[in-house]
Amino acid sequence: MNLVPSHFALTLALIAAGGLATLPAHAESLADVVAHAYETNPGLLSQRATVRAADEQYVQARGSYGPNVSVNVSGTTYDDRQVVENNAHLPGIHDSARSLSESLSVAVPLYTGGRVHSQLNQAEALILAQREQLRRYEMDLLVRVVSAYANVRRDEALLKVSQDTVAVLEKQVADTNSRFDVRQNTLTDVAEAKARLAQSRSTLANAQGALGISRAQYISVVGQAPGTLDPLPTIDAVPPTITQAFDSAENYNPQLLGAQYTEQRSRARIAEARAGRLPSVSVQASLQHAPYIPYLAQPYNYAATATVSVSQPLFTSGQISSQIRQATEQNNSDRLAVDETRNQVILGVTSQWEQIATLRNQIKTLEAAVEANTFSFYGNREEEKNALRSTIDVLNAQLELTNTQQAMIRARAEEYVGQVQLLAVMGVLNPAALSPDVRAYDPAQNFRSVQHKGETPLEWPARTLDAIGGMRVGKEPAASVAEIRGAGSAMPAAPDPEAPITSILSTLDKPPPVPR
């Protein structure tokens, strides 16, 4: 049985073989790709559904304040037969009856000691934590989309460099053979040129495979095959100082905010546990319509009752105290988790900041190295014609030029992705930063639509009394991030917009400009 559709198998084969010519040729911008992934990524859609599910926690907690109305209807049939067999004078006795009972009861809490109020606080904190988890997933998706986009462009450029290098070395081998025929060099020169050509062809094969993998990763993240990708747009959101990056992360990082909301939820759970020592008050009313004598249709009894119940725990064998201790220790754990998360966020900001600064410095030096190596390669080729340079000198000059070109291509792609990762750690990365026309998903919209479903005016007396007389949620712990921040390196200016790599083939026809 063939479990893989033929067109899908063909696509995989083309990717594995680096089938460049068969892939879509339409132009795509990063903004288009981000918008497509933001609207269709199944993982992101799943996270949104998780947030909507969390919204119902608030509705369910709030419903504990409302009236609980129930109705019960029961019907009874009575059929009694007594038969005397083989006796015509005693035909037997037959008695039957039907009755119907109905009851309606309404129970309304008046005061819960703050239990439900604490449950509402927990539900709100859970919803906010889930929203931060959604935002964290959105940022992770944007980073992965940008990385996949940049990697495809990077590997396409590396493939082009490898193809040009093979073409140049094929010309070098031909020239070396020609000079050997006229006794201008030796078999050693020919062997060196052929060995370097074999190495470049191996590098070309690796480049084709790397591009195939990058395309597959692009399809996995974006949900469609890459076409002709436009150059990466400029990002202007990186702050001028690391202090601003730290401040932004403290206020907006979704992982840190999620940890703070989790701690807030556990503080509300302490209040709920302590509320177990307080009394609860409820009122119940019921109406009943039932036969006065069972199994008789008449007469019927009508009853209406109203009850006010006050419950006060006196002794629970240590259960409430244990619950309070358990909730307190969980909150202690969550408080420490906030500090640990803050430390990790600071490390993330510092790491990304230093990486970008290092890469920007590298790009400047690599641009100068590419320019100088391009001129050096041309000069070595020209001097070889006059027997001033050997074959190995030319081959080494070509290798240095190729290596610096590849290093610059990788550094540019890594620096761009690093900027996006820094914005994610700072908590300010959003779809609009990369795709201005995308419509951002608002997780609060669903909450507003379900927040008051099933609500009645009977809830408000209990909510008011709970808010006044219930247990208070403790104060939020203060942040101490300023004491452990690092200074950070000076951030160099952003590199110039990405320019195409000058083909090494061009130096065979005309000399490059003299390096500055």
Side-chain angles (χ1 to χ4, degrees):
M1 180 183 298
N2 183 14
L3 300 179
V4 181
S6 59
H7 65 279
F8 183 64
L10 177 60
T11 301
L12 291 178
L14 292 174
I15 291 174
L20 307 179
T22 58
L23 291 169
H26 59 282
E28 293 177 346
S29 67
L30 180 61
D32 296 334
V33 173
V34 167
H36 177 80
Y38 187 75
E39 294 172 359
T40 62
N41 183 267
L44 182 57
L45 298 179
S46 174
Q47 287 293 325
R48 293 173 183 172
T50 300
V51 175
R52 292 193 295 270
D55 291 341
E56 302 299 335
Q57 292 278 1
Y58 179 89
V59 180
Q60 295 168 19
R62 196 216 66 232
S64 298
Y65 278 129
N68 189 345
V69 182
S70 62
V71 61
N72 181 41
V73 179
S74 61
T76 303
T77 299
Y78 174 77
D79 192 352
D80 185 12
R81 297 174 182 268
Q82 298 180 5
V83 179
V84 180
E85 297 182 358
N86 302 323
N87 192 331
H89 299 285
L90 295 174
I93 301 174
H94 180 205
D95 188 16
S96 65
R98 292 184 178 88
S99 63
L100 185 66
S101 301
E102 307 97 4
S103 64
L104 174 68
S105 64
V106 180
V108 181
L110 295 181
Y111 177 64
T112 69
R115 297 177 186 84
V116 179
H117 183 70
S118 300
Q119 292 170 2
L120 277 176
N121 289 334
Q122 293 177 54
E124 290 175 347
L126 172 64
I127 292 170
L128 293 175
Q130 289 293 337
R131 290 180 185 176
E132 294 304 322
Q133 180 65 25
L134 171 62
R135 203 161 63 89
R136 182 181 179 185
Y137 192 95
E138 286 180 350
M139 292 183 185
D140 178 69
L141 175 63
L142 294 176
V143 170
R144 288 187 287 128
V145 169
V146 172
S147 179
Y149 191 101
N151 288 348
V152 170
R153 284 188 52 84
R154 176 202 65 197
D155 290 342
E156 287 176 345
L158 292 174
L159 178 63
K160 181 64 169 58
V161 169
S162 295
Q163 291 170 336
D164 291 349
T165 300
V166 169
V168 168
L169 289 174
E170 288 174 344
K171 180 70 166 56
Q172 181 68 34
V173 170
D175 292 344
T176 304
N177 282 325
S178 298
R179 285 192 293 274
F180 175 75
D181 292 339
V182 296
R183 302 296 188 271
Q184 292 184 355
N185 56 23
T186 65
L187 280 175
T188 302
D189 296 319
V190 175
E192 289 172 344
K194 289 183 177 179
R196 194 63 61 86
L197 175 59
Q199 291 176 5
S200 67
R201 285 173 174 167
S202 175
T203 302
L204 175 60
N206 291 335
Q208 290 173 333
L211 178 58
I213 294 173
S214 294
R215 288 182 176 274
Q217 292 173 341
Y218 182 101
I219 294 173
S220 174
V221 175
V222 178
Q224 63 183 16
T228 302
L229 303 183
D230 293 341
L232 292 165
T234 303
I235 298 178
D236 299 323
V238 175
T241 65
I242 195 172
T243 300
Q244 292 173 291
F246 283 135
D247 292 339
S248 176
E250 177 69 26
N251 294 320
Y252 304 112
N253 181 274
Q255 187 177 0
L256 179 56
L257 294 180
Q260 291 172 347
Y261 289 132
T262 300
E263 187 276 333
Q264 177 180 323
R265 186 185 180 197
S266 66
R267 274 189 288 125
R269 194 175 292 116
I270 296 175
E272 180 187 7
R274 289 175 176 171
R277 292 173 171 170
L278 298 180
S280 61
V281 183
S282 64
V283 61
Q284 181 174 355
S286 63
L287 296 175
Q288 186 176 19
H289 176 224
Y292 184 74
I293 300 176
Y295 305 117
L296 292 182
Q298 296 292 338
Y300 267 90
N301 181 43
Y302 295 89
T305 60
T307 306
V308 176
S309 299
V310 179
S311 177
Q312 171 63 61
L314 297 179
F315 180 70
T316 62
S317 299
Q319 293 183 15
I320 295 178
S321 298
S322 176
Q323 291 169 356
I324 294 174
R325 292 193 300 270
Q326 182 185 38
T328 301
E329 292 303 331
Q330 181 61 55
N331 181 248
N332 291 336
S333 174
D334 292 338
R335 284 175 182 244
L336 295 172
V338 171
D339 293 336
E340 175 63 19
T341 303
R342 182 178 287 110
N343 292 340
Q344 294 301 317
V345 169
I346 292 173
L347 174 61
V349 170
T350 304
S351 299
Q352 294 300 328
W353 183 273
E354 296 297 338
Q355 181 184 25
I356 294 172
T358 300
L359 288 170
R360 287 184 175 181
N361 286 325
Q362 286 182 359
I363 290 172
K364 290 182 179 180
T365 58
L366 287 171
E367 288 174 344
V370 168
E371 187 177 5
N373 283 331
T374 302
F375 189 83
S376 173
F377 173 67
Y378 172 80
N380 274 273
R381 282 187 57 86
E382 293 301 312
E383 292 170 2
E384 182 195 25
K385 297 175 183 178
N386 298 316
L388 298 176
R389 296 284 180 179
S390 64
T391 301
I392 193 62
D393 292 331
V394 177
L395 294 175
N396 288 340
Q398 171 273 319
L399 180 61
E400 290 178 1
L401 174 57
T402 299
N403 288 342
T404 52
Q405 285 181 332
Q406 293 173 339
M408 187 171 70
I409 292 170
R410 293 189 177 96
R412 279 189 169 275
E414 191 174 352
E415 189 271 341
Y416 192 90
V417 174
Q419 293 185 65
V420 178
Q421 291 174 331
L422 175 61
L423 298 180
V425 178
M426 291 167 52
V428 297
L429 181 63
N430 56 67
L434 303 173
S435 182
D437 296 331
V438 71
R439 182 178 179 182
Y441 177 78
D442 181 14
Q445 181 177 358
N446 179 75
F447 178 75
R448 290 191 294 267
S449 67
V450 302
Q451 180 180 7
H452 300 292
K453 286 191 174 181
E455 189 176 79
T456 66
L458 295 177
E459 296 180 12
W460 290 103
R463 296 186 67 168
T464 303
L465 291 175
D466 259 10
I468 295 174
M471 287 292 179
R472 298 290 186 266
V473 176
K475 293 183 179 180
E476 184 175 354
S480 58
V481 64
E483 298 176 2
I484 54 176
R485 290 180 177 181
S489 301
M491 179 61 68
D496 296 331
E498 181 180 352
I501 293 293
T502 302
S503 173
I504 194 174
L505 291 171
S506 64
T507 61
L508 303 181
D509 303 326
K510 58 182 179 179
V514 178
R516 296 184 297 274

PDB file of all heavy atoms in Angstrom, residues 294-311:
ATOM      1  N   PRO A 294     -48.698   8.075  49.556  1.00  0.00           N
ATOM      2  CA  PRO A 294     -48.026   7.447  48.416  1.00  0.00           C
ATOM      3  C   PRO A 294     -48.945   6.507  47.658  1.00  0.00           C
ATOM      4  O   PRO A 294     -49.787   5.815  48.247  1.00  0.00           O
ATOM      5  CB  PRO A 294     -46.857   6.685  49.068  1.00  0.00           C
ATOM      6  CG  PRO A 294     -46.630   7.395  50.369  1.00  0.00           C
ATOM      7  CD  PRO A 294     -47.969   7.873  50.815  1.00  0.00           C
ATOM      8  N   TYR A 295     -48.790   6.492  46.372  1.00  0.00           N
ATOM      9  CA  TYR A 295     -49.497   5.619  45.444  1.00  0.00           C
ATOM     10  C   TYR A 295     -50.966   5.989  45.274  1.00  0.00           C
ATOM     11  O   TYR A 295     -51.702   5.271  44.612  1.00  0.00           O
ATOM     12  CB  TYR A 295     -49.394   4.148  45.854  1.00  0.00           C
ATOM     13  CG  TYR A 295     -47.974   3.684  46.026  1.00  0.00           C
ATOM     14  CD1 TYR A 295     -47.526   3.263  47.269  1.00  0.00           C
ATOM     15  CD2 TYR A 295     -47.095   3.693  44.957  1.00  0.00           C
ATOM     16  CE1 TYR A 295     -46.218   2.841  47.437  1.00  0.00           C
ATOM     17  CE2 TYR A 295     -45.790   3.281  45.125  1.00  0.00           C
ATOM     18  CZ  TYR A 295     -45.336   2.855  46.360  1.00  0.00           C
ATOM     19  OH  TYR A 295     -44.065   2.440  46.528  1.00  0.00           O
ATOM     20  N   LEU A 296     -51.407   7.098  45.870  1.00  0.00           N
ATOM     21  CA  LEU A 296     -52.778   7.550  45.644  1.00  0.00           C
ATOM     22  C   LEU A 296     -52.749   8.833  44.828  1.00  0.00           C
ATOM     23  O   LEU A 296     -51.969   9.745  45.116  1.00  0.00           O
ATOM     24  CB  LEU A 296     -53.503   7.786  46.972  1.00  0.00           C
ATOM     25  CG  LEU A 296     -53.802   6.529  47.816  1.00  0.00           C
ATOM     26  CD1 LEU A 296     -54.570   6.936  49.079  1.00  0.00           C
ATOM     27  CD2 LEU A 296     -54.590   5.509  47.014  1.00  0.00           C
ATOM     28  N   ALA A 297     -53.579   8.868  43.798  1.00  0.00           N
ATOM     29  CA  ALA A 297     -53.571  10.045  42.933  1.00  0.00           C
ATOM     30  C   ALA A 297     -54.083  11.272  43.659  1.00  0.00           C
ATOM     31  O   ALA A 297     -53.680  12.393  43.350  1.00  0.00           O
ATOM     32  CB  ALA A 297     -54.434   9.776  41.697  1.00  0.00           C
ATOM     33  N   GLN A 298     -54.918  11.134  44.620  1.00  0.00           N
ATOM     34  CA  GLN A 298     -55.480  12.251  45.379  1.00  0.00           C
ATOM     35  C   GLN A 298     -55.436  11.894  46.870  1.00  0.00           C
ATOM     36  O   GLN A 298     -55.498  10.713  47.235  1.00  0.00           O
ATOM     37  CB  GLN A 298     -56.934  12.506  44.938  1.00  0.00           C
ATOM     38  CG  GLN A 298     -57.080  12.951  43.500  1.00  0.00           C
ATOM     39  CD  GLN A 298     -56.520  14.329  43.235  1.00  0.00           C
ATOM     40  OE1 GLN A 298     -56.389  15.125  44.171  1.00  0.00           O
ATOM     41  NE2 GLN A 298     -56.193  14.618  41.979  1.00  0.00           N
ATOM     42  N   PRO A 299     -55.328  12.842  47.752  1.00  0.00           N
ATOM     43  CA  PRO A 299     -55.130  14.278  47.511  1.00  0.00           C
ATOM     44  C   PRO A 299     -53.632  14.595  47.337  1.00  0.00           C
ATOM     45  O   PRO A 299     -52.777  13.790  47.690  1.00  0.00           O
ATOM     46  CB  PRO A 299     -55.657  14.912  48.799  1.00  0.00           C
ATOM     47  CG  PRO A 299     -55.319  13.879  49.844  1.00  0.00           C
ATOM     48  CD  PRO A 299     -55.524  12.545  49.184  1.00  0.00           C
ATOM     49  N   TYR A 300     -53.343  15.782  46.783  1.00  0.00           N
ATOM     50  CA  TYR A 300     -51.970  16.236  46.580  1.00  0.00           C
ATOM     51  C   TYR A 300     -51.561  17.200  47.690  1.00  0.00           C
ATOM     52  O   TYR A 300     -52.388  17.933  48.230  1.00  0.00           O
ATOM     53  CB  TYR A 300     -51.818  16.925  45.225  1.00  0.00           C
ATOM     54  CG  TYR A 300     -51.368  15.965  44.140  1.00  0.00           C
ATOM     55  CD1 TYR A 300     -52.295  15.273  43.379  1.00  0.00           C
ATOM     56  CD2 TYR A 300     -50.014  15.773  43.900  1.00  0.00           C
ATOM     57  CE1 TYR A 300     -51.885  14.397  42.379  1.00  0.00           C
ATOM     58  CE2 TYR A 300     -49.594  14.891  42.921  1.00  0.00           C
ATOM     59  CZ  TYR A 300     -50.516  14.212  42.149  1.00  0.00           C
ATOM     60  OH  TYR A 300     -50.110  13.337  41.180  1.00  0.00           O
ATOM     61  N   ASN A 301     -50.270  17.204  47.982  1.00  0.00           N
ATOM     62  CA  ASN A 301     -49.714  18.080  49.002  1.00  0.00           C
ATOM     63  C   ASN A 301     -48.819  19.123  48.318  1.00  0.00           C
ATOM     64  O   ASN A 301     -47.948  18.789  47.523  1.00  0.00           O
ATOM     65  CB  ASN A 301     -48.902  17.259  50.006  1.00  0.00           C
ATOM     66  CG  ASN A 301     -48.331  18.144  51.114  1.00  0.00           C
ATOM     67  OD1 ASN A 301     -49.036  19.005  51.622  1.00  0.00           O
ATOM     68  ND2 ASN A 301     -47.077  17.916  51.460  1.00  0.00           N
ATOM     69  N   TYR A 302     -49.037  20.413  48.636  1.00  0.00           N
ATOM     70  CA  TYR A 302     -48.217  21.516  48.128  1.00  0.00           C
ATOM     71  C   TYR A 302     -47.385  22.067  49.292  1.00  0.00           C
ATOM     72  O   TYR A 302     -47.945  22.408  50.335  1.00  0.00           O
ATOM     73  CB  TYR A 302     -49.090  22.623  47.532  1.00  0.00           C
ATOM     74  CG  TYR A 302     -49.853  22.187  46.306  1.00  0.00           C
ATOM     75  CD1 TYR A 302     -51.115  21.610  46.421  1.00  0.00           C
ATOM     76  CD2 TYR A 302     -49.308  22.362  45.035  1.00  0.00           C
ATOM     77  CE1 TYR A 302     -51.820  21.203  45.305  1.00  0.00           C
ATOM     78  CE2 TYR A 302     -50.013  21.959  43.912  1.00  0.00           C
ATOM     79  CZ  TYR A 302     -51.257  21.387  44.044  1.00  0.00           C
ATOM     80  OH  TYR A 302     -51.956  20.980  42.937  1.00  0.00           O
ATOM     81  N   ALA A 303     -46.050  22.137  49.087  1.00  0.00           N
ATOM     82  CA  ALA A 303     -45.188  22.610  50.174  1.00  0.00           C
ATOM     83  C   ALA A 303     -44.165  23.599  49.617  1.00  0.00           C
ATOM     84  O   ALA A 303     -43.621  23.408  48.523  1.00  0.00           O
ATOM     85  CB  ALA A 303     -44.464  21.438  50.833  1.00  0.00           C
ATOM     86  N   ALA A 304     -43.937  24.653  50.383  1.00  0.00           N
ATOM     87  CA  ALA A 304     -42.918  25.655  50.049  1.00  0.00           C
ATOM     88  C   ALA A 304     -42.043  25.860  51.273  1.00  0.00           C
ATOM     89  O   ALA A 304     -42.542  26.075  52.373  1.00  0.00           O
ATOM     90  CB  ALA A 304     -43.561  26.975  49.620  1.00  0.00           C
ATOM     91  N   THR A 305     -40.717  25.770  51.069  1.00  0.00           N
ATOM     92  CA  THR A 305     -39.795  25.913  52.197  1.00  0.00           C
ATOM     93  C   THR A 305     -38.684  26.895  51.834  1.00  0.00           C
ATOM     94  O   THR A 305     -38.328  27.056  50.665  1.00  0.00           O
ATOM     95  CB  THR A 305     -39.156  24.559  52.566  1.00  0.00           C
ATOM     96  OG1 THR A 305     -38.429  24.067  51.436  1.00  0.00           O
ATOM     97  CG2 THR A 305     -40.215  23.554  52.972  1.00  0.00           C
ATOM     98  N   ALA A 306     -38.160  27.563  52.839  1.00  0.00           N
ATOM     99  CA  ALA A 306     -37.009  28.466  52.694  1.00  0.00           C
ATOM    100  C   ALA A 306     -36.050  28.187  53.842  1.00  0.00           C
ATOM    101  O   ALA A 306     -36.468  28.092  54.994  1.00  0.00           O
ATOM    102  CB  ALA A 306     -37.451  29.913  52.699  1.00  0.00           C
ATOM    103  N   THR A 307     -34.771  28.040  53.512  1.00  0.00           N
ATOM    104  CA  THR A 307     -33.774  27.663  54.508  1.00  0.00           C
ATOM    105  C   THR A 307     -32.547  28.549  54.375  1.00  0.00           C
ATOM    106  O   THR A 307     -32.085  28.821  53.260  1.00  0.00           O
ATOM    107  CB  THR A 307     -33.346  26.197  54.329  1.00  0.00           C
ATOM    108  OG1 THR A 307     -34.506  25.365  54.347  1.00  0.00           O
ATOM    109  CG2 THR A 307     -32.381  25.766  55.422  1.00  0.00           C
ATOM    110  N   VAL A 308     -32.072  29.009  55.510  1.00  0.00           N
ATOM    111  CA  VAL A 308     -30.795  29.729  55.556  1.00  0.00           C
ATOM    112  C   VAL A 308     -29.820  28.843  56.314  1.00  0.00           C
ATOM    113  O   VAL A 308     -30.091  28.442  57.444  1.00  0.00           O
ATOM    114  CB  VAL A 308     -30.924  31.101  56.237  1.00  0.00           C
ATOM    115  CG1 VAL A 308     -29.557  31.758  56.352  1.00  0.00           C
ATOM    116  CG2 VAL A 308     -31.894  31.992  55.464  1.00  0.00           C
ATOM    117  N   SER A 309     -28.675  28.535  55.661  1.00  0.00           N
ATOM    118  CA  SER A 309     -27.695  27.625  56.261  1.00  0.00           C
ATOM    119  C   SER A 309     -26.405  28.383  56.549  1.00  0.00           C
ATOM    120  O   SER A 309     -25.924  29.150  55.705  1.00  0.00           O
ATOM    121  CB  SER A 309     -27.387  26.451  55.323  1.00  0.00           C
ATOM    122  OG  SER A 309     -28.557  25.698  55.059  1.00  0.00           O
ATOM    123  N   VAL A 310     -25.888  28.184  57.741  1.00  0.00           N
ATOM    124  CA  VAL A 310     -24.591  28.748  58.133  1.00  0.00           C
ATOM    125  C   VAL A 310     -23.693  27.586  58.529  1.00  0.00           C
ATOM    126  O   VAL A 310     -24.050  26.780  59.395  1.00  0.00           O
ATOM    127  CB  VAL A 310     -24.728  29.744  59.300  1.00  0.00           C
ATOM    128  CG1 VAL A 310     -23.354  30.287  59.694  1.00  0.00           C
ATOM    129  CG2 VAL A 310     -25.673  30.880  58.932  1.00  0.00           C
ATOM    130  N   SER A 311     -22.537  27.491  57.872  1.00  0.00           N
ATOM    131  CA  SER A 311     -21.607  26.396  58.134  1.00  0.00           C
ATOM    132  C   SER A 311     -20.286  26.969  58.611  1.00  0.00           C
ATOM    133  O   SER A 311     -19.718  27.852  57.961  1.00  0.00           O
ATOM    134  CB  SER A 311     -21.403  25.566  56.861  1.00  0.00           C
ATOM    135  OG  SER A 311     -20.450  24.548  57.069  1.00  0.00           O
TER     136      SER A 311
END
